[in-house]
Amino acid sequence: MSATETTTDTEQKEMQRERAIHGAEWDRIHGGYFASHAVAEPLTKAIQTAARRALPQVIVDLGGGTGFMLHELARHGLAANARLINLDASAEQLEQVHDPRVKHIQVSLPELRRAQFAKKDERALFIMRSVLHYFGKDRFVPNLKKLRRLMRPGERFIHQTACFEDAAAAKCLNELYQLMGTGKWYPMVTALCMALTEAGWQVEASNSAPPLPLGSQDLARRYNLAPARLVQIQKALAANCGSCSKVFETTRRGFTAYLPYTIFTCVAV
Ligand SMILES: C[S@@+](CC[C@H](N)C(=O)[O-])C[C@H]1O[C@@H](n2cnc3c(N)ncnc32)[C@H](O)[C@@H]1O
């Protein structure tokens, strides 16, 4: 097994730390963003478009959490022609997969093997929402390459990933995550496109998706931040990100940060 095909201690800690908001709580956090039909619609449409062209026999959600996106696809009829498989490292998240059309496998993505989700000669389509940032800056490109190695030429990868057009906004949100003690990292859109190309995909299309509002009270719960630490973080951000009104604002109860998302439709070349 190569170095990119094992889960690092940092990645393990990142997932363990969020256990408080995994499971049933996942649907409610961040204003219900991850369980909203309206929020999911642009990604659902991009996946439907790709599925019409690629005719996959299996659709795999990489880091699919509670299985919400696959459930959405099943509601739109995609389970009729393809098996739906949700992959996630968190047992708490997978326990919430209630749709019988969605199978699930507990696995950490760096360790994933194609044989775990596709039979020989089966055409796969890969989807992912809000997961790439878990790999952190150093493991971002190696893990993209690892995911590409799981795919066959012509297969599609549709992912909704947090990334930035504006360098000051990227600096602000990356600083927030660093101050909260996470290893998560968010790239610029241009850098992400280059990384996808370098890993062996052609980016066919990109569209924006609704931004994720991150209220400070939710962040405190998610990352186990004491009230005094939250105040320190808010002061640091207000000083450094005051001009980034699109991604950071102070509120009556603290602050809200906004993560912008882009949906990428990629073809393995
Ligand atoms: C922000 S949540 C998104 C969940 C889901 N994609 C959605 O949109 O609701 C990130 C998910 O990625 C999973 N995850 C993070 N790192 C992972 C890894 N290395 N392998 C598998 N799953 C991982 C987490 O357990 C979590 O469920």
Side-chain angles (χ1 to χ4, degrees), residues 203-245:
V203 178
E204 262 190 343
S206 61
N207 306 94
S208 59
L212 171 64
L214 299 159
S216 49
Q217 300 303 318
D218 275 353
L219 291 175
R221 203 151 52 92
R222 183 165 181 173
Y223 298 107
N224 195 19
L225 306 169
R229 181 65 189 142
L230 203 56
V231 171
Q232 282 174 345
I233 292 173
Q234 177 163 352
K235 279 189 183 152
L237 286 178
N240 298 343
C241 305
S243 60
C244 291
S245 57

Side-chain angles (χ1 to χ4, degrees), residues 64-171:
T66 57
F68 179 80
M69 276 313 304
L70 289 175
H71 173 64
E72 282 297 280
L73 298 184
R75 279 199 326 122
H76 286 85
L78 272 77
N81 298 313
R83 298 187 298 119
L84 306 180
I85 302 186
N86 186 32
L87 305 172
D88 204 281
S90 161
E92 289 82 3
Q93 293 282 72
L94 294 175
E95 271 166 23
Q96 297 302 314
V97 179
H98 298 309
D99 187 327
R101 295 164 293 186
V102 178
K103 302 287 169 245
H104 58 82
I105 301 171
Q106 187 180 4
V107 62
S108 184
L109 296 176
E111 289 153 31
L112 182 64
R113 299 276 168 275
R114 188 172 171 105
Q116 288 176 275
F117 59 82
K119 296 174 193 148
K120 197 171 172 283
D121 298 331
E122 238 181 358
R123 276 187 309 280
L125 184 139
F126 300 79
I127 68 169
M128 174 188 260
R129 181 169 73 165
S130 199
V131 177
L132 287 180
H133 57 283
Y134 280 75
F135 294 136
K137 192 171 184 178
D138 293 345
R139 303 251 303 169
F140 201 88
V141 170
N143 273 307
L144 270 185
K145 290 182 176 171
K146 153 76 198 182
L147 294 180
R148 171 61 189 84
R149 285 196 295 276
L150 292 170
M151 300 177 190
R152 302 222 167 114
E155 288 182 339
R156 282 172 171 77
F157 174 35
I158 298 107
H159 58 104
Q160 176 175 323
T161 295
C163 52
F164 291 85
E165 299 277 4
D166 179 62
K171 192 163 174 281

